[in-house]
């Protein structure tokens, strides 16, 4: 299976999947739930995909689509602990009159052993970029992650990185002020879903050139299924953002 990221410059996309710590927790019951926002030209939208009763959220993804897709980007995505997965999109500071929508995908399953939702947040600052890491407790590994931009940035700060660490024990998130600049304060946060399971990541990289947009798809090994996605934008800070982090 594949995970896909669509951005507007060179990008590294890391897709990672989960294997069970034991036969009783194979996540064979995992299901994907999707929710879509209204489709219009309102400059900010959010949506939540809720898991069915008796399951918990263990991963997810987000996407911007519609005629206004080139003018909007994902500003926040991640778990609502246990209950679902949210996604937030916002237009760039230039705005657009075209309609667009944001979609959230939640991966839902019976609770795996050692399940933990970790949250990390920076303090409000007025600087060109910030980064934060949500780290799993010892004895657990990363299953999925997310992050977001908060404050009065109003589309002028973008997510440049949201991906797992190589060791699969934390999730890194980085935001940058866009090329137009932003003088106000803003914060960035990171989410990590951790459990006593085995997991790994599979990266893929797009071509590095000035063609826009770009996409990269990472394929899982046979027998594994994607649980969450991540991305890293390689390009001038503040000029590129992701609008598709799905599987």
């Amino acid at each position: 299976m594949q995970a896909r990221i669509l951005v507007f410059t060179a990008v590294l996309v890391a897709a990672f999947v989960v294997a069970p710590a034991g036969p009783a927790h194979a996540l064979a019951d995992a299901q994907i739930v999707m929710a879509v926002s209204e489709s219009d030209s309102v400059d900010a939208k959010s949506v939540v995909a809720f898991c069915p009763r008796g399951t918990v959220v263990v991963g997810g993804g987000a996407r911007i689509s519609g005629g206004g897709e080139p003018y909007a980007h994902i500003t926040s995505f991640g778990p609502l602990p246990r209950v679902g997965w949210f996604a937030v999109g916002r237009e760039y500071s230039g705005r657009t009159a075209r309609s667009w929508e944001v979609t959230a995908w939640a991966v839902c399953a019976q609770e795996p052993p050692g399940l933990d939702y970790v949250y990390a947040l920076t303090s409000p600052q007025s600087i060109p970029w910030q980064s934060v890491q949500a780290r799993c407790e010892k004895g657990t590994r990363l299953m999925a992650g997310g992050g977001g931009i908060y404050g009065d940035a109003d589309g002028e700060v973008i997510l440049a990185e949201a991906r797992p660490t190589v060791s699969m024990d934390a999730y890194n998130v980085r935001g940058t002020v866009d090329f137009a600049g932003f003088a106000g304060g803003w914060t960035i946060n990171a989410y990590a879903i951790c459990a006593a399971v085995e997991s790994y990541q599979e990266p893929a990289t797009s071509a590095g050139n000035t063609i826009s947009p770009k996409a990269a798809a990472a394929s899982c090994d046979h027998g594994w299924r994607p649980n969450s996605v991540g991305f890293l934008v390689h390009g001038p800070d503040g000029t590129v953002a992701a609008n598709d982090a799905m599987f």
Side-chain angles (χ1 to χ4, degrees), residues 10-31:
V11 62
L12 167 67
V13 53
F16 57 99
V17 292
V18 176
H25 296 283
L27 299 185
D29 63 327
Q31 56 185 298

Side-chain angles (χ1 to χ4, degrees), residues 136-216:
C136 296
E137 294 290 336
K138 186 177 181 180
T140 65
R141 285 174 62 84
L142 186 71
M143 294 182 68
I149 306 295
Y150 294 92
D152 297 323
D154 195 26
E156 296 174 291
V157 179
I158 60 180
L159 285 176
E161 177 182 352
R163 61 168 178 160
T165 57
V166 174
S167 55
M168 293 298 292
D169 59 359
Y171 200 82
N172 292 330
V173 180
R174 180 168 60 91
T176 64
V177 174
D178 71 13
F179 65 91
F182 178 66
W186 58 282
T187 63
I188 188 168
N189 69 0
Y191 303 94
I193 303 179
C194 311
V197 297
E198 293 298 322
S199 59
Y200 90 107
Q201 62 177 298
E202 191 69 47
T205 308
S206 72
N209 52 41
T210 58
I211 295 174
S212 177
K214 287 186 173 66

Side-chain angles (χ1 to χ4, degrees), residues 18 36 64 66 73-74 97 146-147 177 193 232-233 242:
V18 176
V36 185
I64 304 292
H73 59 113
I74 298 168
V177 174
I193 303 179
L232 170 64
V233 173

Side-chain angles (χ1 to χ4, degrees), residues 57-185:
V57 64
V58 295
R63 183 186 186 186
I64 304 292
S65 57
E69 177 182 0
Y71 308 97
H73 59 113
I74 298 168
T75 58
S76 184
F77 65 99
L80 291 178
R82 303 189 69 87
V83 301
W85 190 271
F86 72 90
V88 180
R90 182 177 288 274
E91 295 175 7
Y92 295 102
S93 54
R95 305 288 188 263
T96 179
R98 298 182 181 183
S99 294
W100 58 280
E101 60 274 348
V102 60
T103 301
W105 284 268
V107 181
C108 309
Q110 293 184 11
E111 184 172 342
L115 178 66
D116 189 21
Y117 299 94
V118 182
Y119 176 78
L121 176 70
T122 65
S123 58
Q125 300 181 73
S126 179
I127 56 178
W129 66 273
Q130 295 189 62
S131 62
V132 66
Q133 182 182 87
R135 177 166 292 277
C136 296
E137 294 290 336
K138 186 177 181 180
T140 65
R141 285 174 62 84
L142 186 71
M143 294 182 68
I149 306 295
Y150 294 92
D152 297 323
D154 195 26
E156 296 174 291
V157 179
I158 60 180
L159 285 176
E161 177 182 352
R163 61 168 178 160
T165 57
V166 174
S167 55
M168 293 298 292
D169 59 359
Y171 200 82
N172 292 330
V173 180
R174 180 168 60 91
T176 64
V177 174
D178 71 13
F179 65 91
F182 178 66

